[in-house]
Amino acid sequence: MAVQINPSILSADFARLAEEAKAVEGADWLHVDVMDNHFVPNLTLGVPVVESLARATDTPLDLHLMIEDADRWAPQYVEAGAGSVTFHAEAAAAPVRLAREIRAKGARASMALKPATPIEPYEDLLPELDMVLIMTVEPGFGGQAFLDIMLPKIRRTRELISKHGLQMWLQVDGGVSAATIERCAEAGADVFVAGSAVYGAENPAEAVRALRAQAETVTAGAAWACSH
Ligand SMILES: O=C(CO)[C@H](O)[C@H](O)COP(=O)(O)O
Ligand SMILES: [Fe+2]
């Protein structure tokens, strides 16, 4: 499957997480933003909530860890039931060791880059990862405007993935909506996180279907989309 749509529960009602997860059944993954009020200026949820959420939904959990000391915490989110764990390059002391540990524990390993962090220094790490996340807003809050100056970085990352012949996924997160998803897909993204565009819609499941259809119109013709 080329296109994946991952609703972000950051924009959901935290008092009704199980229902909100069910409202987007049909989505590929449920994106869970973990913030520690240090790596980003906001605080969300931790391991016990992820454990409960994993029991409450059949949709696999895509954890986005915006926390310091990712090396210590990321493995605990695999144990909590995450199917994919994304740590920030800026927060991991030993990203290769951490990616290997996440994979060894049975989850997909992914690395995120803040807007000011380039992909080039991480080229040699790509084979250790299942996904790269290019942030298209400054991490910390939902509902921010999409940074279109990130499009060249998405394109460059897709080129590096192709150059190395890898099957990995390329996720974008932040301001992804009907107005921006096609540009992300054209640049080479295939996994789309959408918070406010899904949970702000009258019918979240329908918003997921519409975003998927929009992205698929672009990826259907893309050479890189045929490789997975
Ligand atoms: O990681 C995030 C913020 O740091 C969120 O996943 C992201 O902002 C989703 O919200 P929206 O689609 O409304 O921008
Ligand atoms: Fe996120």
Side-chain angles (χ1 to χ4, degrees):
M1 173 178 42
V3 167
Q4 300 186 65
I5 307 292
N6 300 6
S8 168
I9 58 152
L10 185 61
S11 300
D13 179 352
F14 273 32
R16 299 167 45 248
L17 281 183
E19 285 164 63
E20 296 278 64
K22 285 193 173 61
V24 294
E25 269 171 6
D28 297 279
W29 297 77
L30 197 62
H31 184 84
V32 182
D33 290 304
V34 177
M35 304 183 187
D36 66 354
N37 206 27
H38 292 276
F39 183 71
V40 289
N42 197 3
L43 184 66
T44 55
L45 48 82
V47 171
V49 177
V50 171
E51 278 170 350
S52 297
L53 194 55
R55 282 194 297 270
T57 178
D58 292 332
T59 307
L61 302 185
D62 164 35
L63 269 283
H64 177 192
L65 304 182
M66 286 160 275
I67 57 175
E68 289 180 354
D69 203 0
D71 307 71
R72 174 179 166 213
W73 287 103
Q76 297 189 40
Y77 285 94
V78 183
E79 286 162 19
S84 174
V85 175
T86 298
F87 57 85
H88 266 265
E90 305 87 357
V96 171
R97 191 176 64 198
L98 181 55
R100 289 181 182 178
E101 192 177 350
I102 291 168
R103 282 175 155 180
K105 284 183 174 290
R108 297 178 63 89
S110 164
M111 191 176 72
L113 302 177
K114 290 169 78 172
T117 306
I119 183 65
E120 285 79 5
Y122 299 100
E123 177 176 350
D124 292 344
L125 268 69
L126 294 178
E128 303 286 340
L129 300 166
D130 297 297
M131 185 169 81
V132 170
L133 163 52
I134 304 296
M135 289 303 301
T136 41
V137 297
E138 283 298 337
F141 301 92
Q144 300 182 75
F146 179 77
L147 293 174
D148 53 8
I149 54 168
M150 291 297 110
L151 289 167
K153 185 157 81 176
I154 300 168
R155 212 167 283 121
R156 178 79 185 123
T157 305
R158 174 55 66 188
E159 283 167 8
L160 293 176
I161 291 169
S162 299
K163 174 181 153 190
H164 289 270
L166 300 169
Q167 300 295 309
M168 61 195 300
W169 299 343
L170 177 49
Q171 184 177 76
V172 283
D173 183 11
V176 176
S177 70
T180 57
I181 195 168
E182 288 177 29
R183 277 181 285 160
C184 294
E186 275 158 13
D190 55 357
V191 184
F192 305 89
V193 175
S196 45
V198 168
Y199 282 107
E202 198 145 317
N203 182 337
E206 179 51 37
V208 170
R209 281 191 287 276
L211 287 170
R212 187 192 304 286
Q214 249 190 305
E216 279 175 349
T217 59
V218 177
T219 57
W224 54 262
C226 302
S227 62
H228 60 103

